[in-house]
Amino acid sequence: MVPLFDPKPQHAQVADEVHAQTRAVLDSGQFILGPNVQAFEEEAARFHDLSHGIGVASGTDALHLALLAAGIGPGDEVITSAFSFIAGVEAIFYCGAKPVFVDIREDSMNLDESTIEAAVTERTRAIMPVHLFGLACDMDQIMSVAQRHDLKVIEDCAQAFGARFKDKPVGAFGHAGCFSFFPTKNLGGYGDGGLITTADAVLDEQARVLRNHGSRERYHHHCVGFNSRLDEVQAAALRVKLRHLEDFNQSRRDIAAIYDQGLDGLPLQTPAVPEGCYAVYGQYTVQLDQRDKVREALQEKGIASAIYYPIPLHRQAVCGDEYASISLPVTERVSERCLSLPMFPGMSKDQAEEVIAALWTILT
Ligand SMILES: Cc1ncc(COP(=O)(O)O)c(C=O)c1O
């Protein structure tokens, strides 16, 4: 049996420290916006060489509050990828704005940076690149389009904590970086959590007010805000795990290298890593024909896999008819051919080799 994701090996690596730090929070009686949230925000900002980090309740909230704090509102357009999790699009809709989808690149499965400029209209206010599966988008191209058209860039880094583009971590390029601490993520918490990173003091202040009921000072409410705070117990655990993040990501990279080598020669496409990218493999996603049959055959051999994502966002019911006439050929093809293989820190070489052997049996 090889699971898609197993949290136990990484937990075992940090268990003593996490138990000590979370127990100290429980004993302290201070659970909301205490010293651990503040320290984690500072440590996560420092990791990105940025001045500000704002802990929030989830990655979805990070995207929503970052868009609001960047001034995105009704009637605005936000350019993004349709090959992603729904959260980014939900965040755009929450603001009353409209997602405008561009196609993806077949090699990186990230939005095709070269097509963004053609999608800019007079209503475009922001670009939301998604660093999918732990691989950075080409942030040089994205930031230069944004500068030419005076657009905000809100990076969806939910699957890519620690990924780098030209040695700079994702989340440090745009006006805001948005992270998720859902347990399967590169920096996985013990529940839900999220973070916004920014170099912009005004955006930082705005996001802080929004996450805490529109309040700067207790019982003084300046705007309609939200209850979206990272809690102390999560923050204490995340501080420990942040110190081990490079190890966890290296472990994912080691498994990816075993897969790359072991799958070479099979009729499938392994994930490309464009020049200048340091990938952290939030997922290891291959592309192949007869994906559903292969998935079933793997399942019969006790190997889990997942389809991220079977229905592109422009084809989701929630988007209504508005996108019915739009065609994104690469997105549509990749969503029919993508298959994510088991990937998690502490996964053993034997487990990776079991997956490889099964694919050789199935595909040859
Ligand atoms: C690309 C992407 N964006 C945003 C999110 C939302 O994060 P959360 O589940 O913490 O709200 C996820 C989570 O799965 C994601 O994969």
Side-chain angles (χ1 to χ4, degrees), residues 57-61 63 84-85 87-88 130-132 156-159 179-182 184-185 192-194 309:
S58 69
T60 309
D61 281 7
L63 290 161
S84 181
F85 184 58
V130 185
H131 306 295
L132 202 71
D156 183 342
C157 311
Q159 301 185 3
F179 295 86
S180 163
F181 304 127
F182 188 81
T184 57
K185 303 301 193 211
D192 279 312
Y309 295 92

Side-chain angles (χ1 to χ4, degrees), residues 23 50 88 110 188 240 249 256 306:
R23 186 180 173 152
L50 290 172
N110 279 330
V240 172
N249 281 343

Side-chain angles (χ1 to χ4, degrees), residues 183-206:
T184 57
K185 303 301 193 211
N186 294 71
L187 182 60
Y190 293 80
D192 279 312
L195 179 82
I196 301 170
T197 52
T198 184
D200 179 340
V202 176
L203 195 148
D204 169 70
E205 140 84 358
Q206 193 59 28

